[in-house]
Every structure is written in structure tokens, then in C-alpha cells.
Amino acid sequence: MSKKVVVIGAGIGGLGTAGLFAKKGYEVTLLEKNANLGGRANIFEAEGFRFDMGPSWYLAPDLFEHFFDLMGERLEDHLDLVRLSPSYRIFFTGDPTPLDIHSDISIDSATFERIESGSSEKLQAYLRQSEYQYEVATQHFMYKNYDTVFDFFNRRVMTEGQKLSVFSKMHSFVSKFFKTKKLQQVMEYTMVFLGTSPYEAPALYNLMSHMDFNQGVFYPQGGFYELIRALARVAEKNGAKLRTNSPVAQILVENGVTRGVRLVGDEIVPADIVISNADIQFTETRLLEPKWQTYKQKYWDKRVMAPSAFIMYLGVNKKMPCLIHHNLLFSEDWRKNFDNIYKDPRLPDEPSLYVCAPSVTDPSVAPEGKENLFVLVPIASDLRITEEEKDAYSEKVLAIMEEQMNLPGLREKIEYKRIYTVDDFAADYNAFKGTALGLAHTIWQTAIFRPNNKSKKVKNLFYVGAGTNPGIGTQICLISAELVYKRVHGIKSAGPMESL
């Protein structure tokens, strides 16, 4: 191929796209505005601690393996994956007894049965449904491009829609199986990964439960950033040029056809095809002249954005024996917590939160005898938070962790702390409203209702990443790379490609 491809942004979708097109023989240049590759899957080091800044859950290993297979690579040659056991620990506000999920049906069924009589059989039935939905989704929906409503509402959806739970809400679906709030929370927490509320998400997304209960939760030794290094290695091996510190100022268009990009500093990088992995709202409203915009600002003003996050990166001078690798704390008033994110935006008084302690599994990410903690509180996008409010909320969250997660004296043990939140996401990743994830997965922002990966106004301009299909998630963004490859090459198949 003599055609030149420019990829804007080195998130997982951008890196995957660069790899696929380079493998096919295109001349690929990837341009990343930041000093590191990876987009939100970033990394930094401070005082002997190494922090993954974004994604930390390695789920659906089969989807990652599929991408590396397409690239002619063996995943195990690039990543040293450890299966976590237990997979994660859940703390409940006001309850001194945490609950461990092992991703082992015999152990987890017994755990459920102790909480709710009869729930062990219901869990197994729920996970059979989840596995079915996962298989149908990965073989018939996730790897398909949508252009008209009939692409989605096809015969399979219309005949099996009830079985696939396309048309019902997650919370209602879960409530049919489990009656206790505790078990409902366990089955619904993954909606946060998709940037939506269980009260709004399509029940189709219960396929997430298959990922963690049936397939298990993994960790790449060295940290999640090892995946970024692997994707970069494979892209460069196939000839892609990966440039950091190269922010794009404009997508160049002549007579309705893209001709490349202009960088900040006025360097021109010519291209026959431009694929943007930058935030779609930023791409459309800032990199294109108004006449070339498919989605203008008024479109974005009506979108539901996924949450942002209040994150603390903590270096702790003692080990925390009550924590395992992944830890979740669920608030007492589950619905109010989601309302504080979506309906009544504010810093939650009683937040649900996530604590990752990778140093439990991987001694390389913290000095000996110390703990590396990543603390994330989902919060509303577009919140304005002063520095004083950040400090005060940090103290509040740490106090809650001390009390509810059996971490007495945690604050006195902290020797390094960095706060990262809404304005940081906006500044570092051009994230619309400072969202940590992108467009929320509501029914009206899924599949045909999500922004298309092809510009309607500019020929040879395409999109990849969490803002287009299939949506949010590390492995899902790799699927979006395959979808834009299919789009450029006119491949109409609904399932994963077997080869390029």
C-alpha cells in the first residue's frame, strides 16, 4: 500500500488502528499530543512508586488475544498475565464483613447462598444468560459497523431481543434474579465501567458479568501500561511511526476530502486517510472548520456523558493487609449515589469508590514494605471543583476508607499523594466536560445511536475509540480499531475478522 494514514491520538484505539493499518502495508504516522503513549491508560512515577493512571481491570482476555492474533503475534510473548484470586473484594457501608468474589462458580455460588437463600441457582442461571449474551454480542454485534437502524434492528435482534434483554433496563433485569440489595449491587457495579447507571443502562450489558465471574480478572505484571508498551511495539514492528509531543491543530480538508493534518507549530503531515482517536467532540468542534463538522456543538450539548472521576494516587509507607488487588466500597444509598453523578451533579456525600492496590500482586510498583494505592470515586462530569474543595474531599474520602474498609490511621501513613480530577481529564485528553470515559452507554447512545466512525462531511476521515462503536472499555477500543479497519476496506461482516 502506498497510501499514507495519519492517526490522531495514541489511546488504545489509536495504537490498535496504527498497528492494523501498518500490518496491512500502509504508511502510518501516529501523532500524540502528550509525552506518553496510551491516552487515559497513562503512567507516572514518583518517590519510588509507579502508578497506572487510568484502566486497571484486565477483563475479557479472549478479546485481547484476538487482536494480537490478527497482528500475527502471541499475546503471551508480550504480557505476563496473572489471574487474580480472589478477583476482587467488596466492602459495604455500615457492614464490617467484606465479600470476596473468586470467579469460581462453586465458591461464588456458596457466597451468594449465604446472603440470600436460593440465590446460588439464580446466579448460575444469570451467568448462563450473561455468557449467551456475551457470545452473541461478540459474534454478531460488537464487531459490526452500523449505518442504518435496520443494521441493528435486524432479524436476530427482533426475534431474540427479549432473550438478549436489549429493551429492558439493567436494574430491573437484575432484580428479577436477586432480591437483596447487596447482591443487586454486586451484579450492577460493572455499569460504572461503561459510564452509566444501572437504572439507565440496557440489560444487554449484563454480559459484563460473564467477563468477571466466568472468565476471571487478570493483571499484567509490571502494570497495565505493559499493554500499551506491547501495542506500541507491535505497531512499530510493522512500520508505524509513533510520535509523541505532537499535538494536532487542524484536520486539513480540500473540496470535501481530507489531505492530512497541521500540527501546533504549523508542520503539515500529509495523508490520504485521517483516523482520529482524539475525543470526538474535540475532533469535530476544534479540529474541523464548521462546514466540515458532522456533529456540531448543539449535538454534544444534548449528550449524556459518562462520569468523571475524583482520583487519588497514594504512596503508603505500610502494607494494608485488609486490601487485596481490587477493592470496591458500595454506598448505603445506591440510587442516590448514581443520582449525584447523573441527575443532581455534586460530590457525593456517601460515595461508592474503588481502590486498586497493585503492589499486593506486583512488588515492582512500590518500594519494599510499602503500598501503591489508586483510589477512584466516580463523580459527575463538568463539575467545577476548587483546590480547597479537592483537599477537603480528599480528607473526607480517606476518612470513609479508614472507617468502612478497616484502614485505621491510613492518613498518617501516606507519604505521597496526587489528586487528579475533572479539569485534569479535560486538559490532558481534551475530554469533553472532563469525562473520564466518554459517551455514556444509555439505550439512546448505543449501536446505531452512537456517533458513526465515518465522517458524513469529509471523505477519508474516520474515528476510533470510546466515542464511537462499540464504546467504552480497553478491549472494546481495540474492537473499534478493527471496526475502522473494516470501514475503510468495505468489510461488512458482523463477527471478528480471521485475518487482515
Side-chain angles (χ1 to χ4, degrees):
M1 293 283 182
S2 60
K3 286 187 176 180
K4 295 179 179 180
V5 174
V6 161
V7 180
I8 305 171
I12 287 176
L15 287 168
T17 300
L20 291 174
F21 280 81
K23 177 77 173 175
K24 186 65 174 176
Y26 289 85
E27 185 180 327
V28 177
T29 302
L30 181 148
L31 303 166
E32 167 57 46
K33 75 182 273 285
N34 293 324
N36 290 339
L37 302 170
R40 289 171 171 85
N42 209 339
I43 192 172
F44 78 97
E45 297 189 28
E47 299 181 21
F49 298 91
R50 187 170 69 249
F51 295 97
D52 278 314
M53 295 182 68
S56 58
W57 291 69
Y58 192 102
L59 297 168
D62 57 319
L63 301 185
F64 289 111
E65 287 171 14
H66 165 70
F67 177 84
F68 279 84
D69 286 345
L70 267 187
M71 294 298 300
E73 301 284 335
R74 288 168 13 110
L75 180 67
E76 54 268 35
D77 291 339
H78 294 276
L79 298 177
D80 178 13
L81 290 178
V82 176
R83 180 170 176 147
L84 302 179
S85 183
S87 294
Y88 51 95
R89 176 167 292 166
I90 301 173
F91 297 82
F92 299 90
T93 298
D95 186 336
T97 307
L99 183 157
D100 284 355
I101 299 298
H102 287 78
S103 304
D104 180 317
I105 192 64
S106 60
I107 299 174
D108 295 333
S109 293
T111 299
F112 272 50
E113 191 66 26
R114 285 194 294 272
I115 295 170
E116 179 182 320
S117 178
S119 64
S120 61
E121 290 184 5
K122 290 179 180 177
L123 174 64
Q124 294 175 49
Y126 186 94
L127 293 179
R128 284 194 296 271
Q129 169 76 350
S130 177
E131 182 176 13
Y132 168 78
Q133 292 184 196
Y134 180 86
E135 289 175 353
V136 171
T138 53
Q139 295 303 313
H140 300 279
F141 294 109
M142 285 188 186
Y143 287 89
K144 180 177 175 62
N145 281 310
Y146 298 100
D147 291 309
T148 74
V149 70
F150 301 107
D151 289 331
F152 182 69
F153 292 108
N154 55 29
R155 181 176 296 178
R156 176 128 200 196
V157 173
M158 300 313 290
T159 56
E160 300 194 39
Q162 198 62 39
K163 197 187 296 184
L164 289 171
S165 309
V166 171
F167 310 111
S168 56
K169 300 288 180 68
M170 186 71 181
H171 181 71
S172 299
F173 182 80
V174 169
S175 299
K176 292 176 183 176
F177 288 83
F178 307 105
K179 303 306 176 188
T180 58
K181 183 177 76 171
K182 187 176 282 190
L183 294 188
Q184 290 173 359
Q185 288 179 313
V186 173
M187 306 314 292
E188 293 173 357
Y189 85 92
T190 51
M191 292 306 96
V192 176
F193 292 155
L194 296 172
T196 192
S197 158
Y199 303 99
E200 299 298 331
L204 172 65
Y205 290 126
N206 85 319
L207 58 85
M208 296 286 289
S209 293
H210 171 67
M211 293 182 186
D212 73 5
F213 276 88
N214 291 336
Q215 293 183 314
V217 181
F218 296 81
Y219 172 79
Q221 286 289 9
F224 201 91
Y225 199 77
E226 290 304 307
L227 173 65
I228 301 304
R229 292 192 172 102
L231 293 172
R233 266 196 311 274
V234 170
E236 288 183 316
K237 174 181 175 181
N238 284 280
K241 297 175 183 176
L242 311 182
R243 293 177 53 179
T244 55
N245 298 307
S246 302
V248 172
Q250 183 183 13
I251 296 171
L252 302 176
V253 182
E254 292 179 12
N255 301 318
V257 182
T258 183
R259 296 302 183 195
V261 300
R262 178 175 59 81
L263 302 186
V264 173
D266 288 337
E267 178 188 350
I268 303 295
V269 183
D272 302 293
I273 297 170
V274 173
I275 303 169
S276 181
N277 182 218
D279 182 277
I280 292 189
Q281 183 271 345
F282 177 83
T283 303
E284 286 276 332
T285 63
R286 300 284 294 280
L287 300 185
L288 287 169
E289 295 178 27
K291 65 179 178 179
W292 303 125
Q293 296 171 6
T294 300
Y295 305 102
K296 297 183 184 296
Q297 188 57 45
K298 64 182 180 180
Y299 170 89
W300 296 106
D301 292 339
K302 296 176 182 177
R303 296 309 96 189
V304 178
M305 302 311 295
S308 188
F310 185 92
I311 298 173
M312 290 183 286
Y313 305 102
L314 305 177
V316 182
N317 63 17
K318 293 281 194 301
K319 301 301 284 184
M320 302 279 108
C322 287
L323 299 179
I324 61 173
H325 192 113
H326 293 302
N327 309 269
L328 298 154
L329 171 64
F330 293 157
S331 62
E332 180 74 23
D333 193 335
W334 190 239
R335 185 151 203 162
K336 181 183 178 184
N337 191 200
F338 280 104
D339 285 348
N340 285 164
I341 298 172
Y342 294 102
K343 294 184 178 180
D344 181 25
R346 62 177 66 190
L347 291 172
D349 288 329
E350 296 180 12
S352 294
L353 56 90
Y354 162 61
V355 180
C356 183
S359 42
V360 170
T361 306
D362 184 354
S364 74
V365 300
E368 186 175 356
K370 299 182 180 183
E371 211 81 279
N372 170 327
L373 301 184
F374 167 95
V375 180
L376 183 150
V377 180
I379 62 172
S381 296
D382 213 24
L383 275 186
R384 301 288 185 264
I385 314 171
T386 67
E387 293 303 314
E388 293 76 14
E389 288 170 330
K390 289 178 187 178
D391 290 337
Y393 198 65
S394 169
E395 284 298 302
K396 179 173 188 163
V397 171
L398 291 169
I400 290 171
M401 290 171 60
E402 287 179 341
E403 181 179 353
Q404 301 295 339
M405 303 180 79
N406 194 19
L407 299 170
L410 171 63
R411 281 172 286 183
E412 288 72 45
K413 298 182 179 76
I414 295 171
E415 62 180 50
Y416 175 80
K417 179 169 77 172
R418 177 183 175 186
I419 296 173
Y420 193 98
T421 189
V422 184
D423 49 351
D424 300 297
F425 282 104
D428 289 348
Y429 310 119
N430 295 318
F432 183 47
K433 295 186 176 181
T435 173
L437 300 167
L439 275 175
H441 278 274
T442 64
I443 286 177
W444 298 108
Q445 292 179 175
T446 294
I448 187 63
F449 305 115
R450 210 166 179 83
N452 203 309
N453 61 2
K454 178 182 180 181
S455 171
K456 292 180 181 178
K457 300 286 187 70
V458 181
K459 186 177 180 181
N460 294 337
L461 173 61
F462 302 91
Y463 307 100
V464 69
T468 184
N469 279 311
I472 291 167
T474 52
Q475 62 288 92
I476 305 305
C477 286
L478 280 182
I479 296 177
S480 79
E482 188 168 334
L483 285 179
V484 79
Y485 180 93
K486 282 184 168 185
R487 173 72 72 188
V488 169
H489 295 92
I491 300 169
K492 303 287 189 180
S493 62
M497 291 189 298
E498 293 183 6
S499 71
L500 300 185

